[in-house]
Amino acid sequence: MRPMLWVTTAVLALVGASACGATADKSDSNADSGKPATGLRLMVPNAAGGGYDTTARVAAKVMEDAKIATGVQVFNLPGAGGTVGLQRTVNEKGNGKLAMQMGLGVVGATYTSKSKATLTQTTPIAKLIEEAGAIVVPKNSPYKTIGDLVTAWKANPKGMAVGGGSSPGGPDHLLPMQLAQAVGIEPKDVNFVSYDGGGELLPALLGSKIAFGASGFGEFLDQVQSGQVRVLAVTSEQPIEALKDVPTLKGSGIDLVFTNWRGIVAPPGISDADKKVWIDALTKMHDSAEWKSELEKHGWTDAFVTGDEFGKFLTDQDKAVADILTKLGLAA
């Protein structure tokens, strides 16, 4: 049966341990005023340049440009696969002005990092997008097709390093493990090198410190267009519009489909009014022409759900990721 990494990927990865608490800033709510929301802060739990960072900054810019919110501050707090940021979010109980950009990677990281903070402690705000993964090599790589790469990988799995922009248990880790299984390689033989987000993965790929990278394709679009890297295959069911000439794994004879996702959560204990401000702002953003343009530009798939519906999705993802990581020996 073809492995479906949608649920898998969607729940894995970064949540960590450390952080300092802060006092919530009780400013007035703009939920029903019709005025732009103010004072919102969006934390990215990875280094700058990765998929979470890109998504958060695009969302903030769209809200600013469409006059949905003003002065949205995006900041990075990397560490432990995203669990440092998660711990900070949980510590900020009641702070309705703060939210965290996250995704499948943080789900898995909570298990592999043995994080004290969990996503179940946060307030679910919205799932924004889904994104296919990509198998990427530097421009001077000897592998011209996914077939070339798989042949070499099967011959020497421990000698070929594959890098991913997430901790073990995150989407960039699950993808090569699932790919290995699909082509007949024992996952325990995979030489996986973990990087804290796409911002750290890209230099390693460009510097040929790894044989290939596995991550969301959107993180490499600029480098693909400039000719610095080549995408050998994407992990979606159908070809990606932004990479028209790139085959899918399935179309290349590898029976695997894998999809990642990204969303936003807030600290525990925020008021209903503050939760409404976030959901209303993101709903208006989602409905805007500017956001639709960004979806097309980055090749993201619209997957917008909010509040309780997103909360149920998180619960399902958490269970699925826990089950998968247990089978891989990465969770108790």
Side-chain angles (χ1 to χ4, degrees):
M1 180 181 294
R2 169 162 60 85
M4 293 294 293
L5 255 199
W6 189 86
V7 173
T8 303
T9 292
V11 190
L12 270 157
L14 319 99
V15 187
S18 117
C20 55
T23 304
D25 179 16
K26 296 210 168 192
S27 43
D28 56 342
S29 167
N30 295 296
D32 300 309
S33 67
K35 298 178 181 177
T38 58
L40 302 182
R41 304 179 72 224
L42 190 52
M43 180 201 304
V44 177
N46 290 119
Y52 289 168
D53 188 65
T54 299
T55 307
R57 294 183 188 280
V58 166
K61 184 177 186 301
V62 169
M63 286 192 284
E64 293 273 3
D65 290 350
K67 295 181 172 51
I68 296 164
T70 59
V72 181
Q73 179 188 356
V74 178
F75 68 100
N76 300 79
L77 184 65
T83 54
V84 169
L86 178 61
Q87 184 68 61
R88 167 70 177 273
T89 302
V90 170
N91 287 353
E92 295 269 2
K93 182 177 181 179
N95 185 354
K97 292 297 185 180
L98 177 70
M100 182 180 78
Q101 179 72 64
M102 48 75 71
L104 179 58
V106 177
V107 178
T110 57
Y111 289 97
T112 57
S113 297
K114 295 179 172 55
S115 171
K116 292 181 180 179
T118 66
L119 284 167
T120 57
Q121 295 172 282
T122 66
T123 301
I125 299 297
K127 181 172 74 159
L128 301 179
I129 62 166
E130 293 172 4
E131 181 183 47
I135 304 302
V136 188
V137 295
K139 65 179 180 181
N140 58 351
S141 170
Y143 313 118
K144 305 302 181 185
T145 68
I146 189 65
D148 293 342
L149 175 65
V150 168
T151 298
W153 196 22
K154 291 176 71 173
N156 186 18
K158 293 183 179 179
M160 282 181 61
V162 50
S166 65
S167 301
D172 291 4
H173 172 250
L174 291 177
L175 171 52
M177 295 303 161
Q178 293 277 346
L179 179 58
Q181 287 183 320
V183 301
I185 296 172
E186 174 58 51
K188 291 182 179 178
D189 290 338
V190 175
N191 180 7
F192 179 75
V193 183
S194 175
Y195 295 92
D196 195 3
E200 291 189 3
L201 173 62
L202 184 60
L205 185 66
L206 295 177
S208 297
K209 294 181 179 179
I210 52 178
F212 66 102
S215 191
F217 77 89
E219 301 193 27
F220 301 106
L221 279 178
D222 288 345
Q223 288 71 33
V224 171
Q225 292 168 356
S226 66
Q228 293 177 285
V229 302
R230 290 183 286 113
V231 179
L232 299 185
V234 291
T235 67
S236 50
E237 186 82 37
Q238 300 295 330
I240 299 295
E241 181 68 22
L243 297 168
K244 293 181 181 179
D245 298 327
V246 177
T248 63
L249 289 174
K250 190 176 177 182
S252 302
I254 299 171
D255 202 11
L256 175 65
V257 172
F258 185 99
T259 306
N260 195 8
W261 59 269
R262 295 186 193 124
I264 291 175
V265 297
I270 68 171
S271 69
D272 289 344
D274 283 335
K275 181 178 178 180
K276 187 176 188 301
V277 168
W278 276 106
I279 291 178
D280 285 356
L282 291 170
T283 299
K284 291 174 183 176
M285 179 201 77
H286 166 260
D287 294 341
S288 70
E290 292 91 339
W291 180 249
K292 290 177 173 58
S293 176
E294 292 291 345
L295 290 176
E296 183 176 354
K297 174 182 175 182
H298 294 280
W300 294 335
T301 299
D302 185 11
F304 191 73
V305 295
T306 63
D308 291 344
E309 188 175 355
F310 180 41
K312 183 181 183 305
F313 174 81
L314 279 180
T315 299
D316 293 344
Q317 288 287 292
D318 187 71
K319 183 181 184 304
V321 170
D323 290 346
I324 290 168
L325 292 182
T326 298
K327 290 177 182 177
L328 289 173
L330 294 173

